[in-house]
Amino acid sequence: MPLIAALLLAAPLAQAAPLTDALAAYDAGDLKAAARGFAESARRGEPLGQFNLAMMNLRRELPGASDARAWQLLQRAAAQQLAHAENALGEMIEQGRHAPLDKAAACGWFERAAEHGNADGALAIATCYYLGRGRGQDMALAQHWYLEAAKAGDVGAQYLVASMFETGLGVEADARLARYWYGVAAQNGDDAAKAKLKAMQDADASS
């Protein structure tokens, strides 16, 4: 997961300048300066600083970096509903980087992130429902969240949504929407989607 830069556009001006400086330092390879900037932001209770400092801990880019410190920082950012932090907490649990693996807890964080607009969280919670892993299997909810991830540009989700519309899995079958999403996935480079779209178009032409 990358450090957050784009979200600075939504940050108050007082936060944005120091965080921009810290991100510039990080991009320039000056990890000490970046860490100082993020740490100062985190001390002020700013969720973007907390998140970015947590990422440096997870990547072991700081002296004494630890998963425990990353978890603590992400919890603080998530308490302010920073969706990236919520998703990262789910990923830490899923990867076994915080206590024993708890699939239900991981899915809970993914769902919170998805509800706050995070595309990675939408993809992850969709998979929880699709596989019945950490959540009861529910194809309607899987389709709902895969669709959100597809709208956000995830190619794999675009293909899955198209397939679910084609077969009526978790949603009423709709060949028009299936063709649409296969087409979107195909435009984004999915070869399997290109083949499926051609097959559907050929079937339409011969009927």
Side-chain angles (χ1 to χ4, degrees), residues 18-19 22-23 31-54 56-57 62 69 73 76:
L19 282 168
L23 283 163
L31 299 184
K32 289 183 179 179
R36 285 196 301 271
F38 294 142
E40 177 58 32
S41 174
R43 280 193 291 271
R44 292 197 298 265
E46 296 165 2
L48 299 181
Q50 292 162 349
F51 175 84
N52 287 333
L53 190 60
M56 292 189 74
N57 272 271
L62 299 167
R69 178 59 174 154
L73 288 161
R76 292 175 183 173

